[in-house]
Amino acid sequence: AGAQEDFHYILMQLIDGEFPKYDQVIPQHTDKEVILGRAPLLQAIRRVALVSDDRSHMVRLSLAKGSLTLEADSQGVGEASEEMPAQYGGAELTIGFNGRYLTDALSSLKSSDVKMSFIDEVNPAILTGVGEEGSLSVIMPMRI
């Protein structure tokens, strides 16, 4: 019997254009930072997101001194809320994100702790691994 070979093809086309200036969406000066355990945060987002809206997948993060509260809700499904300790001493802030985007960014990191940096509830947030050079995710917030 002869061995059958599988062939895979990749087709691409070069386009003439300029790569977008992505660095313009990375906030240069943030004034609010929170440090959290990556695994507990990832698990909490996954639990809370189970009841998030099917279209938006919104998870709200509410920061207060020493804590982070995660919330999600969906009409007809219910609501979920979970509070966890956080290294945060700034002004109170509530900001909404697509839970899938947050879990994707957190899953790409390897460090045990993560730092999220904010300006306010409408500007992009930065997510980095503590002690993990070269890791940086920019996450756009959603209107609450």
Side-chain angles (χ1 to χ4, degrees):
Q4 184 176 357
E5 293 185 38
D6 289 330
F7 290 98
H8 300 280
Y9 295 95
I10 296 176
L11 301 174
M12 55 181 115
Q13 179 179 2
L14 291 175
I15 58 171
D16 187 26
E18 193 172 314
F19 195 78
K21 297 181 190 279
Y22 66 89
D23 54 342
Q24 292 179 348
V25 299
I26 301 172
Q28 300 303 311
H29 304 286
T30 57
D31 60 353
K32 296 170 190 68
E33 293 182 350
V34 60
I35 296 178
L36 301 143
R38 185 183 68 82
L41 177 60
L42 187 56
Q43 293 164 0
I45 292 169
R46 286 179 175 152
R47 283 190 296 270
V48 170
L50 289 172
V51 297
S52 66
D53 182 73
D54 285 340
R55 287 176 288 152
S56 70
H57 306 285
M58 184 189 297
V59 173
R60 289 180 306 282
L61 282 64
S62 297
L63 289 159
K65 289 191 182 349
S67 72
L68 169 70
T69 303
L70 297 102
E71 299 174 299
D73 56 60
S74 179
Q75 189 174 11
V77 176
E79 56 188 52
S81 177
E82 189 165 331
E83 186 175 341
M84 59 187 301
Q87 293 179 36
Y88 182 72
E92 290 188 7
L93 173 71
T94 299
I95 187 167
F97 294 104
N98 181 312
R100 289 183 177 176
Y101 297 162
L102 282 174
T103 57
D104 286 348
L106 287 166
S107 297
S108 71
L109 299 173
K110 308 225 180 329
S111 61
S112 60
D113 291 324
V114 295
K115 177 173 75 171
M116 293 184 77
S117 305
F118 309 93
I119 297 171
D120 54 28
E121 65 278 350
V122 296
N123 282 292
I126 298 173
L127 180 65
T128 57
V130 174
E132 192 174 332
E133 279 192 44
S135 70
L136 181 126
S137 295
V138 176
I139 305 174
M140 299 299 292
M142 302 173 73
R143 290 198 188 275
I144 296 178

